[in-house]
Amino acid sequence: MKNKTQKRIGLLTSGGDSSGMNACIRAVVRTAVFQGHRIYGIYKGYQGLLDNLIKEMSPRNVGGIINTGGTILQTSRCKEFFTASGRKRAFENMKQHGINALIVIGGDGSFHGLHKMIKEFRIQGIGLPGTIDNDLYGTDFTIGFDTAINTAMEAIDKIRDTATSHSRLFIVEVMGRDSGYLAQYCGIAGGAEDILIPEKKDDIRKIAQKLEAGFHKGKKSSILVVSEGDETGNAFEIKEQIRKLVDWEIRVSILGHIQRGGSPSAVDRFLATRMGFESVIAVNEGRTDKMVGIVNNQIKLTPLEQTWTRKKKIDLAFYKMIDALSI
Ligand code: F6P
């Protein structure tokens, strides 16, 4: 046994799933057992904590999952957990299993819930950033982001084939909630003519002029990537605005939930494994109310509250690059 104080750690995934969550679960379970703790899988996120869907896990339960998408623990968006009575019930179930620490893989909504549990019941809690949106302060990248941008990029590549065959403009809508990271990365990697994100006000007239100029300069296709949270509107609304200003025939493609699934990339498996391991080390060290992140390739623990009160800023300087490359 590597650690003097044995703990009973509960592990759950919460909110939207992301590729790499399973690799993270594997790392947490095996590190916890290696360190002499007992580890309990909580199924279906916070809903499972309320419904007592809790089972002790062993290293063998997490074999053959490092390469799989989704989450073997399943997940949910649980409204009841945001009520005081719901959290009380959750705590009673934790007590029944002797669980004194929680590790939660999810986004800022999930961390809100964990923060409340820590404050109300003095449990130990550590968050791990699992979301395709990459919108969490305190880490350069979140688990699932790399796989999602690769999936979106591959979809854009395929769309460009048909767009070029038909000389069409495609408006491709990607996920990301209120954050433009996903759009920024897959848009640049997919060679998009422009990228519309919530962090930047769109000038539809200017975009249309650029697209129209491209058409007259002999471009065979054009791609606009739109983040789902963009303030100008969704892909269909943007299509209506642009349609009046350009000669291109336009089609819309909404990539949707395919961005959340699939076998995780090597980068996501590595990130998930490293963060999962470090979350157990944080528990060993008595750390609580923190998210494990990686900043400049160094492990960093950030107070959970900062992950939603502070904003990870997107660097808008990349638009200069898009202007240069989309001529
Ligand atoms: O937060 C991850 C995410 O995939 C967002 O990009 C998207 O807005 C949302 O979840 C979709 O949620 P749901 O699967 O509940 O529709």
Side-chain angles (χ1 to χ4, degrees), residues 140-155:
D140 288 341
F141 295 106
T142 55
I143 298 162
F145 175 68
D146 185 69
T147 307
I149 57 173
N150 276 291
T151 301
M153 179 195 71
E154 283 165 21

Side-chain angles (χ1 to χ4, degrees), residues 148-164 170-175 182-195 221-226 253-255 258-259:
I149 57 173
N150 276 291
T151 301
M153 179 195 71
E154 283 165 21
I156 292 168
D157 288 348
K158 289 176 179 154
I159 287 168
R160 194 176 287 280
D161 288 345
T162 173
T164 304
F170 263 82
I171 302 178
V172 182
E173 186 178 298
V174 299
M175 280 188 167
L182 214 161
Q184 176 194 10
Y185 272 73
C186 71
I188 289 174
E193 268 61 29
D194 220 325
I195 301 168
S221 63
S222 272
I223 307 276
L224 276 189
V225 171
V226 178
S253 181
I254 296 174
L255 299 190
I258 63 161
Q259 294 161 99

Side-chain angles (χ1 to χ4, degrees), residues 52-247:
N52 211 359
L53 305 175
I54 303 172
K55 249 200 221 149
E56 186 162 6
M57 295 180 89
S58 85
R60 296 287 72 75
N61 295 138
V62 291
I65 66 166
I66 194 168
N67 56 337
T68 58
T71 156
I72 58 161
L73 291 177
Q74 296 195 281
T75 184
S76 63
R77 299 191 194 278
C78 176
K79 290 210 181 89
E80 204 186 337
F81 194 73
F82 286 88
T83 65
S85 60
R87 285 192 299 277
K88 176 100 183 27
R89 210 165 94 216
F91 180 60
E92 293 303 325
N93 288 333
M94 279 179 71
K95 272 205 307 199
Q96 195 190 315
H97 295 269
I99 296 172
N100 39 25
L102 267 188
I103 295 179
V104 172
I105 311 170
D108 62 345
S110 313
F111 296 164
H112 263 91
L114 179 60
H115 178 68
K116 279 193 158 43
M117 284 293 282
I118 293 164
K119 292 281 162 230
E120 290 167 1
F121 304 108
R122 302 192 174 282
I123 61 158
Q124 192 180 3
I126 294 290
L128 286 164
T131 166
I132 64 165
D133 300 339
N134 199 32
D135 58 348
L136 291 169
Y137 177 86
T139 190
D140 288 341
F141 295 106
T142 55
I143 298 162
F145 175 68
D146 185 69
T147 307
I149 57 173
N150 276 291
T151 301
M153 179 195 71
E154 283 165 21
I156 292 168
D157 288 348
K158 289 176 179 154
I159 287 168
R160 194 176 287 280
D161 288 345
T162 173
T164 304
S165 304
H166 289 263
S167 287
R168 282 174 174 164
L169 160 65
F170 263 82
I171 302 178
V172 182
E173 186 178 298
V174 299
M175 280 188 167
R177 206 181 283 278
D178 305 322
S179 162
Y181 272 100
L182 214 161
Q184 176 194 10
Y185 272 73
C186 71
I188 289 174
E193 268 61 29
D194 220 325
I195 301 168
L196 283 68
I197 58 172
E199 292 85 347
K200 182 176 174 284
K201 210 170 162 23
D202 307 320
D203 186 340
I204 292 291
R205 208 157 269 283
K206 208 169 136 212
I207 293 170
Q209 273 166 11
K210 176 161 76 171
L211 293 169
E212 189 65 3
F215 186 73
H216 292 296
K217 279 188 277 188
K219 280 202 179 215
K220 294 201 177 91
S221 63
S222 272
I223 307 276
L224 276 189
V225 171
V226 178
S227 179
E228 65 175 350
D230 190 68
E231 281 168 14
T232 306
N234 64 31
F236 286 103
E237 288 159 349
I238 289 167
K239 176 189 171 188
E240 276 318 297
Q241 295 184 35
I242 290 190
R243 191 177 55 80
K244 300 170 191 140
L245 304 168
V246 300
D247 276 341

